[in-house]
């Protein structure tokens, strides 16, 4: 019984650890997370306390919300600020990777 309880506890904690990472960009092995109109880029999905990582082989081509283009500024390593008046919950982000465009949908969770 104790082993089953311990296994269940580990399973629930591992699910919760990854719940706040809405999207993983596999080409860069990075986790993207949207919070307060800021895009954070992590290189390890399980550790979200920093340091944040810049893309190595990719770059942000465009960011859109509800069909409107949004301006994005890099404010620090792995931290991108979306310049808009209202709080965005879902964005469509296009990343350039090896001259290919990768389209992703990023949602605040």
């Amino acid at each position: 019984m104790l082993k089953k309880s311990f296994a269940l506890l580990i399973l629930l904690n591992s699910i919760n650890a990854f719940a706040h990472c809405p999207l993983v960009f596999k080409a860069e092995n990075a986790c993207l997370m949207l919070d307060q109109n800021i895009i954070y880029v992590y290189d390890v999905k399980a550790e979200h306390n920093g340091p944040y990582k810049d893309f190595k082989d990719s770059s942000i081509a465009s960011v859109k919300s509800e069909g409107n283009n949004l301006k994005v500024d890099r404010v620090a390593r792995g931290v991108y600020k979306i310049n808009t008046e209202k709080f965005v919950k879902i964005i469509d982000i296009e990343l350039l990777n090896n001259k290919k465009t990768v389209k992703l949908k990023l949602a605040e969770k």
Side-chain angles (χ1 to χ4, degrees), residues 25 28 30-42 52-63 70-84 88 91 93-96 106:
F25 179 49
E28 286 280 351
C31 173
L32 304 175
M33 191 167 73
L34 178 65
D35 183 31
Q36 300 174 2
N37 288 351
I38 297 176
I39 300 170
Y40 297 100
V41 181
Y42 300 86
Y52 307 123
K53 302 289 184 177
D54 281 333
F55 293 120
K56 293 178 185 174
D57 299 321
S58 301
S59 62
I60 296 177
S62 70
V63 175
L70 301 174
K71 185 179 177 195
V72 178
D73 293 327
R74 181 180 173 268
V75 294
R77 180 177 61 182
V79 180
Y80 299 88
K81 173 76 175 153
I82 301 171
N83 293 323
T84 183
V88 294
I91 61 170
I93 186 168
E94 291 184 3
L95 300 170
L96 290 176
L106 183 62

Side-chain angles (χ1 to χ4, degrees), residues 92-108:
D92 296 312
I93 186 168
E94 291 184 3
L95 300 170
L96 290 176
N97 183 280
N98 295 331
K99 298 183 182 179
K100 293 181 187 176
T101 301
V102 178
K103 296 181 181 181
L104 303 170
K105 186 173 285 275
L106 183 62
E108 186 271 329

Side-chain angles (χ1 to χ4, degrees), residues 18-23 33-35 87 89 106-109:
F18 303 128
H20 58 286
C21 181
L23 186 68
M33 191 167 73
L34 178 65
D35 183 31
F87 180 70
K89 294 192 177 205
L106 183 62
E108 186 271 329
K109 300 231 177 184

